[in-house]
Amino acid sequence: MAEFKVAEIFTSINGEGMRAGELAVFIRLQGCNLRCGYCDTMWANEAGAPCKWMTTEEILQKVKSEEIRNITLTGGEPLDRPDIGELIENITSDPWLRLEIETNGSISLKPFTAFSNPPVFTLDYKLPGSGMEAAMDLENFKWLKRQDTVKFVVSDRKDLARAKEIIGKYELARRCHVILSPVFGSIDPEEMVDFMKEQKMNDIKMQIQMHKVIWDPEQRGV
């Protein structure tokens, strides 16, 4: 049975995404292959970051003991693990559970779309302000389904323009949900709304990270 480096498991509300405001159990795996300039979980990304080795069975037991339907698998980057398919399959095999995977857009989704009860993906497309746009796997857009989401984390107006370009080029609003989210403290959300009005961005959601409003923005486990 596979083992994973788990940075934390906790129950809170979804602070963003299509189930924002709903309870969820978060499984945060240690480590990430990218280094975004605005990353708010860098503490979990380094090779020596605190973690606990847990088997698939141990993670599943913990998740089920919380009696919460929504499960969010996050990181770091959760898909960048050789045995992650085992964990995904074990969670999705329970029809009562609903699995969302937050992924950074650099890892191919193709191997993870064949499950009989596939997870929902929230793909975080890295805009220029992140410093990581070159790492994006653009083939991922063709694997997205209607229930999936592409999230654009926006640092400035240049990022807004680039997000609009990508949304249009790949017809993302037709393929899946699309969210624009401000980098906390970097851009005024009002400026984002003004841009959306100017550009007539129909079927796009602007979303503020709810957990950073409710709790201290630096607080973990929320």
Side-chain angles (χ1 to χ4, degrees):
M1 181 166 289
E3 286 190 309
F4 301 92
K5 291 182 176 181
V6 179
E8 58 180 352
I9 297 181
F10 62 94
T11 296
S12 186
I13 59 164
N14 264 313
E16 53 194 326
M18 299 313 297
R19 292 195 177 275
E22 294 187 23
L23 288 173
V25 180
F26 291 82
I27 307 165
R28 186 182 305 284
L29 301 184
Q30 183 216 65
C32 187
N33 60 319
L34 301 185
R35 290 295 181 270
C36 299
Y38 52 70
C39 181
D40 57 5
T41 55
M42 191 62 74
W43 64 270
N45 293 348
E46 302 300 334
C51 68
K52 178 182 179 181
W53 282 98
M54 297 181 71
T55 65
T56 296
E57 183 178 357
E58 289 170 335
I59 294 172
L60 200 61
Q61 287 177 349
K62 172 61 176 174
V63 162
K64 289 186 176 182
S65 73
E66 295 296 309
E67 300 182 17
I68 303 296
R69 291 195 71 185
N70 296 326
I71 312 298
T72 300
L73 183 59
T74 187
E77 172 47 54
L79 297 183
D80 193 23
R81 328 283 161 145
D83 298 314
I84 196 64
E86 177 185 296
L87 180 58
I88 296 171
E89 184 172 19
N90 274 267
I91 295 174
T92 58
S93 65
D94 186 331
W96 190 75
L97 298 176
R98 295 184 293 225
L99 178 63
E100 175 187 5
I101 299 177
E102 295 182 340
T103 179
N104 65 23
S106 69
I107 307 297
S108 176
L109 299 183
K110 184 179 179 180
F112 307 104
T113 59
F115 295 103
S116 57
N117 182 27
V120 170
F121 293 100
T122 295
L123 188 154
D124 191 344
Y125 184 90
K126 304 302 182 184
L127 294 165
S130 71
M132 291 287 120
E133 188 177 18
M136 294 298 92
D137 183 349
L138 298 175
E139 288 288 305
N140 276 332
F141 291 143
K142 72 181 182 182
W143 303 113
L144 295 172
K145 296 182 173 60
R146 190 62 209 166
Q147 67 267 26
D148 298 323
T149 300
V150 175
K151 181 178 68 174
F152 295 90
V153 180
V154 175
S155 300
D156 52 29
R157 199 170 183 88
K158 179 181 177 183
D159 277 357
L160 284 170
R162 179 60 173 160
K164 182 179 182 299
E165 179 185 353
I166 294 294
I167 292 166
K169 181 176 181 179
Y170 294 95
E171 300 183 311
L172 294 182
R174 180 180 62 82
R175 290 176 175 271
C176 61
H177 304 290
V178 181
I179 291 174
L180 299 177
S181 179
V183 175
F184 192 82
S186 292
I187 185 171
D188 190 332
E190 184 177 349
E191 182 178 355
M192 295 177 62
V193 176
D194 288 342
F195 182 89
M196 293 172 70
K197 290 193 296 184
E198 292 166 9
Q199 301 298 321
K200 314 301 181 190
M201 296 180 73
N202 293 300
D203 302 318
I204 310 299
K205 288 181 171 60
M206 197 278 281
Q207 191 174 74
I208 295 171
Q209 292 175 300
M210 193 182 299
H211 52 288
K212 292 188 177 180
V213 176
I214 299 173
W215 295 281
D216 186 298
E218 302 300 321
Q219 188 168 335
R220 301 179 187 176
V222 295

